[in-house]
Amino acid sequence: MSNKKVWFVTGASKGLGLSLVKKLLKEGYRVAATSRNLSDLSKAVDNHSDQFLPLAVNIKNEESVQEAIELTISTFGKIDVVVNNAGYGLIGGLEELTDQEARDNFEVNVFGSLNVIRKALPYLREQQSGHILNISSIGGFTGSFPGFGIYCATKFAVNGFSESLAEEVKPFGIKVTIVQPGYFRTSFLSEGSLVAPKHQIDAYQNVRASQNLHQNELDQQQAGDPDKAAEAMIEIVNAENPPVNLFLGEDAYNAANNKIAAVQSDLENWKELTTSTAIA
């Protein structure tokens, strides 16, 4: 039995999750990987060794998640690293998106991850170790993308609960990292991973331009290499003091710096008003 860490990765049939699972298996790790469709996952990974445990999981269903966690532990004896990667993009103006379309995005991107965290933490606490990687986005740090308001809101939520989680689980020796990628050359912008609203409003030309850019121009032109993103995630898990915030990609680095500078500017420009609100 390998003494390397056991990884549990959701959303593993495509995108960064697939690249990560393939890299982990190649390096000899034991991996439990989940997808909504087991045949898609098995076909994408094509590994039949006892290192690999493919699982059909509905992350929106707590019982499904619980069964997957338990099966992973009964198969490999433990879980060391949990990667919440499952999710999808939603592009549309806030006025265009229905309540259901918005809630569906939160259901997967936010509550799906929370289901996994809740079911995994009792085991991680008991062993007094572990590392949770929550795959967010540069859109979880800056929301300045027309048409991505709801998607960014889901990722801002991931960033927020992850920062709190990092403090909550620190006494148990568990680490948390928010992985915030920029544009990587995966299927994320392709049909099925990026959903558009059913009812579009022509007046939002900036949203339509953003939609066209992402669906027709950026797809498969992204600068980021998903295999290198996978290597980076493995590296931080093996680091003694991993970061809470890990930005991936030069575009993400630049966007984060721009957001920090903009907030700093607002703070200083409006400092007098900001600090004038104390009870006299």
Coordinates of all heavy atoms in Angstrom, one line a residue, residues 4 18-19 82 86 99 130 144 174 257-258:
K4 N 1.7 7.4 0.1 CA 1.3 8.8 -0.4 C -0.1 9.1 -0.1 O -0.9 8.2 0.2 CB 1.5 8.8 -2.0 CG 2.9 8.8 -2.4 CD 3.0 9.1 -3.9 CE 4.4 9.4 -4.4 NZ 4.5 9.8 -5.8
L18 N -10.0 16.8 -14.2 CA -9.4 15.6 -15.0 C -7.9 15.7 -15.1 O -7.2 14.7 -15.0 CB -10.1 15.7 -16.4 CG -9.6 14.6 -17.4 CD1 -9.8 13.2 -16.9 CD2 -10.2 14.8 -18.8
S19 N -7.4 16.9 -15.4 CA -5.9 17.0 -15.5 C -5.3 16.6 -14.1 O -4.2 16.0 -14.1 CB -5.5 18.5 -15.8 OG -6.0 18.8 -17.1
V82 N -9.0 16.7 0.0 CA -10.4 16.9 -0.6 C -10.3 18.1 -1.6 O -9.9 19.2 -1.2 CB -11.4 17.2 0.4 CG1 -12.8 17.5 -0.2 CG2 -11.6 16.0 1.4
A86 N -16.0 20.4 -8.7 CA -17.2 20.3 -9.5 C -17.9 21.7 -9.5 O -18.0 22.4 -8.5 CB -18.2 19.3 -8.9
D99 N -34.7 33.4 -11.3 CA -34.4 33.0 -10.0 C -33.9 31.5 -9.9 O -32.9 31.2 -9.3 CB -35.6 33.1 -9.1 CG -35.4 32.6 -7.7 OD1 -34.8 33.3 -6.9 OD2 -35.9 31.5 -7.3
G130 N -5.2 16.8 7.2 CA -5.9 16.9 5.9 C -5.7 18.2 5.3 O -5.2 19.2 5.9
S144 N -15.5 42.1 -11.8 CA -15.6 43.0 -12.9 C -15.7 42.4 -14.3 O -14.9 42.7 -15.2 CB -14.4 44.0 -12.9 OG -13.2 43.3 -12.9
I174 N -5.9 20.7 10.0 CA -6.4 20.7 8.7 C -6.1 22.0 8.0 O -6.3 23.1 8.6 CB -7.9 20.4 8.7 CG1 -8.2 19.1 9.4 CG2 -8.5 20.3 7.3 CD1 -9.7 18.9 9.7
N257 N -4.0 41.9 -8.6 CA -3.3 43.1 -8.2 C -4.1 44.3 -8.6 O -4.1 45.3 -7.8 CB -2.0 43.1 -9.0 CG -0.8 42.6 -8.2 OD1 -0.8 42.8 -6.9 ND2 0.1 42.0 -8.8
N258 N -4.8 44.3 -9.7 CA -5.7 45.4 -10.1 C -6.8 45.7 -9.1 O -7.1 46.8 -8.7 CB -6.3 45.2 -11.5 CG -5.2 45.3 -12.6 OD1 -4.1 45.9 -12.4 ND2 -5.5 44.8 -13.7

